[in-house]
Amino acid sequence: MPPNPSPATALPAGHARPTVLVTGAGLRLGAAIAVHLAQQGWNVAVHYRHSSAAAQATVQACRAAGADSHALAADFDDEAQTRALLPAALARFGRVDAIVNSASRFEFDDASDFSYASLERHLRSNTAAPIVLAQALQAHLQARAAAVATADGDDAAAAAKPQGVVVNLLDQKLWNQNPDFLSYTLSKAALEAAGTMLALALAPWVRVVGVAPGLTLTSEFLDASSFARLHQLSPLGRSSTPEDVAAAVHFALSNASLTGTTLLVDGGQHLMRFERDFSMMAAPGTPPKPR
């Protein structure tokens, strides 16, 4: 990751150091995104569900990069906890300017064992929670503008009108579908559609951008050698790294002209045809882990 830039180059003109809420930031890709944004001049609210110790490690890494950072817990299966998350971040930081929805449920099912319960679990965490958080961000930004208008007059409020950003982590498999992880894929497809709808509904207060990685990190389904082999299956000979994805998220946050679109960061994997999900494509002779 690059060294911490000066605030003048890291932030939009006229802004104090902004705050981003990164969901699922205790582990894996969410943690990498949180630390990268801290290095780019953002204060970081680190959301986690159960991984308290890992979230605290992310907080310490963000603070080492010069950011104000704090961990906040919420279970996205619970609507009340989800709705309480942004107010908790505001109570700690005083402002929130962006949300990166990295938290994601990823459980196997397919057409043979699909159930209402599986789809509902995935929709709650992967689709409904990002929508609720985007809704809350717009309300916060409108309240901030109203407070400025009350204190300094309508002209000052118009000049200082805040604009927020929501970045939703998607998946290249939406453009290269296979029958594995049916409920997960449906929930991400719904989130991609919601991104378009929210970009229209929340403008001009909130921009909404998707970032769709390819195979980026190994998982319980893949051993190291299988991951290394599959990571090379792309037109560019490599899929995305955590650093690639974090840089794309930062670009989405920084570019004021982006909304209602998705950045595919996958080395071109979405251009290829895969019959199975990467997590089911273990090394030859090595069966995938049991479902």
Side-chain angles (χ1 to χ4, degrees):
M1 294 182 182
N4 187 26
S6 68
T9 60
L11 306 178
H15 277 234
R17 188 175 181 115
T19 297
V20 59
L21 167 64
V22 182
T23 72
L27 298 167
R28 296 171 61 81
L29 189 53
I33 292 169
V35 175
H36 182 82
L37 295 180
Q39 293 173 334
Q40 302 303 317
W42 291 76
N43 293 331
V44 184
V46 173
H47 160 263
Y48 68 97
R49 182 174 62 160
H50 298 310
S51 53
S52 175
Q56 291 300 331
T58 303
V59 166
Q60 293 306 316
C62 290
R63 289 176 178 173
D68 184 12
S69 186
H70 187 74
L72 300 167
D75 184 346
F76 287 166
D77 288 343
D78 185 322
E79 183 175 348
Q81 290 191 41
T82 304
R83 290 192 179 278
L85 180 57
L86 193 70
L90 292 173
R92 174 60 178 77
F93 293 93
R95 62 185 285 174
V96 173
D97 302 272
I99 298 170
V100 178
N101 288 301
S102 181
S104 186
R105 184 181 294 277
F106 184 67
E107 298 172 351
F108 186 89
D109 70 345
D110 59 17
S112 67
D113 60 0
F114 171 83
S115 67
Y116 277 27
S118 177
L119 180 59
E120 182 179 353
R121 287 195 304 272
H122 284 83
L123 286 173
R124 279 179 175 268
S125 60
N126 297 359
T127 312
I131 294 172
V132 164
L133 292 174
Q135 178 189 65
L137 180 61
Q138 182 197 40
H140 162 60
L141 295 169
Q142 290 173 333
R144 268 170 52 183
V148 172
T150 299
D152 300 326
D154 291 338
D155 290 342
K161 186 175 182 178
Q163 184 184 75
V165 193
V166 170
V167 177
N168 293 322
L169 271 290
L170 301 171
D171 194 313
Q172 65 83 29
K173 72 178 296 176
L174 298 182
W175 290 264
N176 179 12
Q177 292 187 22
N178 59 69
D180 297 322
F181 296 92
L182 178 57
S183 291
Y184 163 81
T185 305
L186 287 172
S187 69
K188 289 294 186 177
L191 182 59
E192 193 272 335
T196 301
M197 298 166 74
L198 291 172
L200 292 167
L202 305 184
W205 297 94
V206 178
R207 295 188 294 108
V208 184
V209 183
V211 171
L215 180 63
T216 304
L217 293 167
T218 191
S219 71
E220 61 179 312
F221 299 95
L222 293 174
D223 59 28
S225 62
S226 296
F227 172 79
R229 174 177 59 86
L230 295 170
H231 196 266
Q232 297 174 19
L233 295 181
S234 77
L236 296 183
R238 63 182 288 277
S239 183
S240 46
T241 66
E243 293 76 17
D244 295 332
V245 179
V249 169
H250 180 239
F251 174 72
L253 295 179
S254 303
N255 191 309
S257 295
L258 282 178
T259 195
T261 192
T262 297
L263 307 174
L264 280 89
V265 187
D266 66 348
Q269 283 182 330
H270 68 284
L271 301 173
M272 301 176 68
R273 178 64 187 150
F274 299 105
E275 298 298 325
R276 303 297 306 274
D277 185 87
F278 291 122
S279 296
M280 299 290 102
M281 295 165 61
T286 304
K289 290 196 174 185
R291 301 176 189 176

